[in-house]
Amino acid sequence: MKKKVTMQHIADALQISKNSVSQALSGKGGVSEETRKLVSETALQMGYIYPQARMNKMNTRSGSIALIASDFAFAQKNFFGEIYLEIEQEVSKKGMNLRIQSINQEAIDRLLLPPFLEERQMEGILILSHLSTDYINAVIQTGIPAVLIDHHHPRVQADCILTNNRFGAYDAVQHLVELGHRDIGFAGNIRFSPSYYERLEGYLMGLEDHHLALNPDIILNDAQEDMDALLHQLSLLKRQPTAWFCVNDALGLLLNSGLQKLGLSVPEDVSVCSFDNGQLSRISTPPTTSIEVNLSLFALKAVEQLTWRMENRDQPFVEILLPTTLIPRESTGVCNWVGQLV
């Protein structure tokens, strides 16, 4: 049986007093911020479990929940910004207060939690999109109930509200197949987010189900949201596919424009389909067919799950998959050619 980790074990590992460990973990004064952070990190790594008395103290209602996200996520106003506004409305309906905190890269790298989380002032936490696995686990280690929005990871034990990325991508492939396309490319950086990796899996599932040959040359699984880099990748292709599926609207817009820079017409020569159905899909020329994510439902389910989790701490963690909808626009059309050199 695994031995229970105590404050003394943490103290011994760091060669400090047990009292210093207690002060650091309780959020009390008497230790430096550097020591507090080091103790919290060590407790997380060693698997320290907070005592029930402290958990009971955490259960005291404050009427406030926190929404945290990276600077990058909050900057994506056309997607995460809309989710944030919907969350604010849902929290208000429940008579609670929402505290917003942007987390910069230095804080993520150094595992620096906002003081109101360190001091356990929040009743619950919503974590929007990707931070880092270690940082998310440091947040969870506070003992405050947490729900992840649009992100999950095998090493993170928490409830998650997610888009059904695989089925959404599958629907995109099916749409293109129904238009007669048999040579369909993939564009997206699958290392950036688990969501993008899942969209690749859905794309591959679509090819398999429709008995389409897998062509590694047209799977750009490291595609960046940069026009010059994307044009370079396209120029290296021996033959253009008749259609592309992109993991998000930004890549869809860039690919749409890039293909035209190469002298191809969209959708007469090449069709383009993307994911998210945000503003970028609507302002693209031509407008991009996209997989819609219900942002209002994202917010509703996240707040519902968090309030449920605050009352049911011992229940198993769940992942809730939200459905997507294909929104056809002018960027996808009937296939009338078999690919050509660019």
Side-chain angles (χ1 to χ4, degrees), residues 158-331:
D159 298 321
C160 308
I161 312 298
L162 307 165
T163 299
N164 196 332
N165 293 295
R166 296 181 181 90
F167 286 10
Y170 181 96
D171 289 344
V173 172
Q174 178 165 296
H175 170 68
L176 294 169
V177 169
E178 289 172 350
L179 291 173
H181 297 280
R182 298 294 181 269
D183 198 18
I184 302 169
F186 173 92
N189 182 5
I190 62 173
R191 295 168 186 81
F192 180 78
S193 166
S195 294
Y196 294 170
Y197 189 93
E198 291 162 8
R199 292 170 193 179
L200 172 62
E201 292 177 330
Y203 160 85
L204 296 174
M205 188 190 309
L207 296 186
E208 177 70 21
D209 266 15
H210 293 94
H211 310 291
L212 300 181
L214 176 64
N215 181 359
D217 292 340
I218 56 174
I219 297 179
L220 308 182
N221 61 15
D222 60 350
Q224 304 296 317
E225 295 176 24
D226 176 84
M227 179 60 81
D228 290 339
L230 190 59
L231 283 173
H232 177 69
Q233 287 186 299
L234 292 175
S235 68
L236 295 177
L237 298 179
K238 295 179 180 179
R239 184 174 296 275
Q240 268 294 324
T242 66
W244 285 95
F245 167 64
C246 304
V247 296
N248 61 28
D249 291 332
L251 261 175
L253 184 149
L254 288 172
L255 185 62
N256 196 334
S257 177
L259 290 168
Q260 294 177 60
K261 287 179 181 293
L262 294 174
L264 299 171
S265 296
V266 177
E268 290 78 13
D269 296 328
V270 186
S271 287
V272 177
C273 184
S274 60
F275 208 108
D276 291 335
N277 192 40
Q279 183 182 12
L280 294 180
S281 67
R282 296 187 286 272
I283 67 174
S284 181
T285 305
T288 312
T289 294
S290 190
I291 302 298
E292 182 177 52
V293 177
N294 189 329
L295 302 184
S296 296
L297 189 58
F298 243 131
L300 175 64
K301 291 300 181 182
V303 175
E304 280 185 353
Q305 186 61 28
L306 182 58
T307 53
W308 181 87
R309 174 56 62 189
M310 286 169 358
E311 301 294 337
N312 298 271
R313 292 171 180 253
D314 297 329
Q315 293 300 309
F317 296 119
V318 298
E319 291 188 347
I320 299 174
L321 291 182
L322 303 183
T324 58
T325 304
L326 177 81
I327 307 297
R329 294 195 180 95
E330 291 88 335
S331 70

Side-chain angles (χ1 to χ4, degrees), residues 18-296:
K18 180 181 176 182
N19 184 57
S20 294
V21 173
S22 177
Q23 290 174 315
L25 292 177
S26 65
K28 296 179 180 178
V31 294
S32 67
E33 189 59 35
E34 182 180 357
T35 298
R36 191 187 312 281
K37 183 47 57 184
L38 182 60
V39 170
S40 296
E41 292 173 7
T42 305
L44 175 63
Q45 294 166 1
M46 296 179 69
Y48 175 73
I49 299 175
Y50 293 100
Q52 189 60 43
R54 186 179 173 199
M55 295 302 293
N56 290 339
K57 183 178 179 181
M58 291 177 192
N59 283 334
T60 302
R61 293 300 190 208
S62 65
S64 297
I65 65 174
L67 172 65
I68 65 172
S70 68
D71 289 346
F72 174 82
F74 274 131
Q76 311 305 303
K77 299 185 184 302
N78 293 325
F79 187 81
F80 294 121
E82 292 185 38
I83 294 179
Y84 148 60
L85 292 175
E86 295 287 346
I87 287 174
E88 193 171 42
Q89 293 179 19
E90 292 299 327
V91 170
S92 179
K93 289 177 185 177
K94 293 185 177 296
M96 301 179 70
N97 302 313
L98 182 66
R99 179 156 185 175
I100 312 298
Q101 180 67 52
S102 181
I103 310 298
N104 62 36
Q105 192 58 50
E106 180 184 4
I108 294 172
D109 293 340
R110 297 177 58 193
L111 300 182
L112 300 175
L113 302 186
F116 61 82
L117 294 186
E118 290 273 16
E119 297 168 10
R120 283 77 184 176
Q121 296 174 1
M122 297 293 110
E123 198 169 327
I125 309 169
L126 295 171
I127 304 173
L128 181 59
S129 189
H130 179 66
L131 288 164
S132 76
T133 299
D134 288 341
Y135 192 89
I136 291 172
N137 279 331
V139 172
I140 292 171
Q141 188 67 20
T142 65
I144 305 172
V147 171
L148 277 61
I149 303 173
D150 198 37
H151 182 68
H152 63 158
H153 190 278
R155 289 203 293 117
V156 175
Q157 298 299 304
D159 298 321
C160 308
I161 312 298
L162 307 165
T163 299
N164 196 332
N165 293 295
R166 296 181 181 90
F167 286 10
Y170 181 96
D171 289 344
V173 172
Q174 178 165 296
H175 170 68
L176 294 169
V177 169
E178 289 172 350
L179 291 173
H181 297 280
R182 298 294 181 269
D183 198 18
I184 302 169
F186 173 92
N189 182 5
I190 62 173
R191 295 168 186 81
F192 180 78
S193 166
S195 294
Y196 294 170
Y197 189 93
E198 291 162 8
R199 292 170 193 179
L200 172 62
E201 292 177 330
Y203 160 85
L204 296 174
M205 188 190 309
L207 296 186
E208 177 70 21
D209 266 15
H210 293 94
H211 310 291
L212 300 181
L214 176 64
N215 181 359
D217 292 340
I218 56 174
I219 297 179
L220 308 182
N221 61 15
D222 60 350
Q224 304 296 317
E225 295 176 24
D226 176 84
M227 179 60 81
D228 290 339
L230 190 59
L231 283 173
H232 177 69
Q233 287 186 299
L234 292 175
S235 68
L236 295 177
L237 298 179
K238 295 179 180 179
R239 184 174 296 275
Q240 268 294 324
T242 66
W244 285 95
F245 167 64
C246 304
V247 296
N248 61 28
D249 291 332
L251 261 175
L253 184 149
L254 288 172
L255 185 62
N256 196 334
S257 177
L259 290 168
Q260 294 177 60
K261 287 179 181 293
L262 294 174
L264 299 171
S265 296
V266 177
E268 290 78 13
D269 296 328
V270 186
S271 287
V272 177
C273 184
S274 60
F275 208 108
D276 291 335
N277 192 40
Q279 183 182 12
L280 294 180
S281 67
R282 296 187 286 272
I283 67 174
S284 181
T285 305
T288 312
T289 294
S290 190
I291 302 298
E292 182 177 52
V293 177
N294 189 329
L295 302 184
S296 296

